[in-house]
Amino acid sequence: MPQVELLKIFMASPSDVVKERRYVIEVIDEINRTIAPNKGVMLQVVRSEENVFPGYNSEGGQAVLNAQIANMEEYALFVGIMWNRVGTPTPRAESGTVEEFERAISAFERKGQPLIWFYFREAPTQLNTEGELEQRRKVLSFKNRIQPRALIRDYKNSSNFRDEFRNHITLWLNKRQLPLTIDQLWQQLADKATCNDRIGLVLADVLDLGSEYQNCVRLGSNIRFEVNLENAGYLLLLDKGTSGKVYCLCPSGYAPEPQVPAGLTVLPQSCSSRKSIKVTGNLGLEQLVAVIAKNKPDINWLQEGSKAPLQLRENHLKVLLDYLKESSDCRVIYMEFTVTA
């Protein structure tokens, strides 16, 4: 069954755009029935009236909401809407909506998401009190503040908003690239690597006989890997087996000490309870990528070395590729061997 990607949408607005908020839900429900299945995605709107439960925080109700649903890095899209009200002030911002917008900006600048869309209703209305006039002045001030940095959209009425929002969501999904598969991400990683004799495979029962590295091994063989480093560093060793699954061999129970010295390192390490690695799976090509960093990489999925090898998914490889883009002190080495009958 094809994997469906969940795309979360955060909706932020004051209380005077109730129809627009309802139209956001209606449009997303429509898109989920029509366009989204063909794109391999499902859209979910997260909003305070449906997705927040009661709570207490000494910094106010907005802080309760922030803790429950406003981790903006989880969202693909932030949709903000304003008309005549900017909203109720919080201890940190001019209103809850403004605070949510600023959190979205901060997440976008750190991680590149969520995308941020802001809509302003420009329609005649009767404002009778000084408080209403002040709220309108604050909306215009906020709009003028963000306009130099954002492509905002004005609309005339709620039905006009509904049609524009539907069009924008459709355009976004049509332009959005499909998520990369594990094979595509692995190929990106392999493309960053060099092939040399710094990493190789030996049969476990002839390790001490000075055997040359093996290019082919039989299914069921017991093997070890050798990595010969010019300098000490942190070793990250990934294996893509013949089944297509990717595992992290170092650090893992095979390699409890990923910070290794210069020279020859053998996996499984001498401190491991495992003495060899059994070749399992199918016949075909098995591939390894070694990443050698000066210090432990800032990668959130690295686990303790005593655990079983972690199976890596698309998100794990994305994090590693992002790390390699930002790091200038890493070496990446590739090797492969064939599993035969």
Side-chain angles (χ1 to χ4, degrees):
M1 182 176 181
Q3 185 175 358
V4 176
E5 183 182 11
L6 176 65
L7 300 178
K8 295 172 67 176
I9 301 171
F10 189 94
M11 180 164 54
S13 77
S15 59
D16 61 338
V17 287
V18 175
K19 283 188 177 180
E20 286 88 337
R21 292 179 71 87
R22 186 172 71 246
Y23 281 143
V24 168
I25 303 303
E26 291 182 6
V27 167
I28 294 304
D29 286 346
E30 174 190 326
I31 294 294
N32 278 334
R33 293 192 305 271
T34 56
I35 298 172
N38 293 329
K39 302 295 184 182
V41 301
M42 182 177 73
L43 308 180
Q44 178 190 12
V45 181
V46 176
R47 59 202 192 280
S48 57
E49 61 266 38
E50 292 290 335
N51 302 102
V52 176
F53 51 83
Y56 173 84
N57 191 300
S58 59
E59 295 184 357
Q62 183 65 40
V64 175
L65 185 150
N66 290 346
Q68 292 186 28
I69 64 171
N71 178 11
M72 293 299 171
E73 294 179 8
E74 298 177 358
Y75 295 92
L77 179 62
F78 173 97
V79 177
I81 313 167
M82 281 187 183
W83 185 13
N84 289 319
R85 287 184 53 77
V86 76
T88 304
T90 76
R92 296 159 298 279
E94 196 168 25
S95 73
T97 300
V98 173
E99 182 170 337
E100 290 157 2
F101 169 78
E102 290 174 348
R103 289 172 67 92
I105 289 291
S106 178
F108 178 80
E109 291 176 346
R110 289 194 310 271
K111 298 292 185 180
Q113 69 177 53
L115 298 180
I116 298 169
W117 298 355
F118 224 107
Y119 297 85
F120 290 89
R121 182 168 178 170
E122 297 297 336
T125 187
Q126 188 171 0
L127 303 175
N128 298 318
T129 69
E130 181 59 34
E132 290 173 340
L133 290 170
E134 179 62 20
Q135 280 285 310
R136 180 60 181 167
R137 282 193 288 268
K138 287 182 177 180
V139 170
L140 294 175
S141 175
F142 173 73
K143 181 180 179 181
N144 290 334
R145 177 163 63 87
I146 73 171
Q147 201 158 13
R149 299 179 294 155
L151 182 61
I152 61 176
R153 283 291 183 261
D154 294 336
Y155 65 96
K156 297 178 180 179
N157 53 54
S158 55
S159 59
N160 174 233
F161 167 81
R162 176 195 59 203
D163 296 339
E164 286 201 22
F165 182 68
R166 180 190 295 112
N167 182 52
H168 294 158
I169 286 287
T170 302
L171 286 172
W172 174 51
L173 290 180
N174 285 337
K175 290 180 177 292
R176 186 176 179 274
Q177 292 184 344
L178 291 174
L180 296 177
T181 65
I182 192 80
D183 290 336
Q184 291 169 324
L185 291 165
W186 177 266
Q187 188 58 53
Q188 288 188 13
L189 185 59
D191 289 344
K192 293 181 177 293
T194 57
C195 298
N196 58 39
D197 59 0
R198 293 284 177 181
I199 180 171
L201 174 157
V202 295
L203 296 173
D205 56 354
V206 296
L207 176 64
D208 298 327
L209 302 181
S211 174
E212 294 183 354
Y213 291 155
Q214 304 292 307
N215 295 320
C216 298
V217 295
R218 290 185 176 181
L219 189 66
S221 298
N222 293 310
I223 62 173
R224 296 188 178 106
F225 294 112
E226 292 184 354
V227 184
N228 201 340
L229 303 182
E230 295 177 348
N231 301 295
Y234 188 100
L235 174 63
L236 184 62
L237 185 64
L238 311 183
D239 173 86
K240 185 171 187 277
T242 53
S243 66
K245 295 179 180 179
V246 179
Y247 288 91
C248 178
L249 299 183
C250 180
S252 77
Y254 291 114
E257 297 179 358
Q259 197 75 42
V260 297
L264 184 66
T265 292
V266 179
L267 273 71
Q269 292 176 326
S270 59
C271 56
S272 170
S273 60
R274 301 163 174 86
K275 302 307 177 187
S276 63
I277 301 170
K278 192 176 186 67
V279 179
T280 60
N282 307 315
L283 306 183
L285 189 69
E286 188 150 345
Q287 305 168 71
L288 283 92
V289 168
V291 177
I292 302 100
K294 186 176 181 180
N295 299 300
K296 182 179 180 180
D298 183 17
I299 296 175
N300 57 11
W301 52 259
L302 287 177
Q303 62 178 7
E304 295 297 324
S306 59
K307 296 183 178 180
L310 174 67
Q311 183 177 352
L312 303 186
R313 309 291 184 179
E314 289 85 351
N315 60 308
H316 298 108
L317 293 187
K318 286 178 185 177
V319 169
L320 176 57
L321 286 165
D322 287 343
Y323 169 77
L324 291 174
K325 286 180 185 177
E326 301 297 327
S327 180
S328 60
D329 65 346
C330 288
R331 290 192 60 201
V332 186
I333 305 172
Y334 173 88
M335 69 87 63
E336 63 186 36
F337 61 94
T338 304
V339 179
T340 62

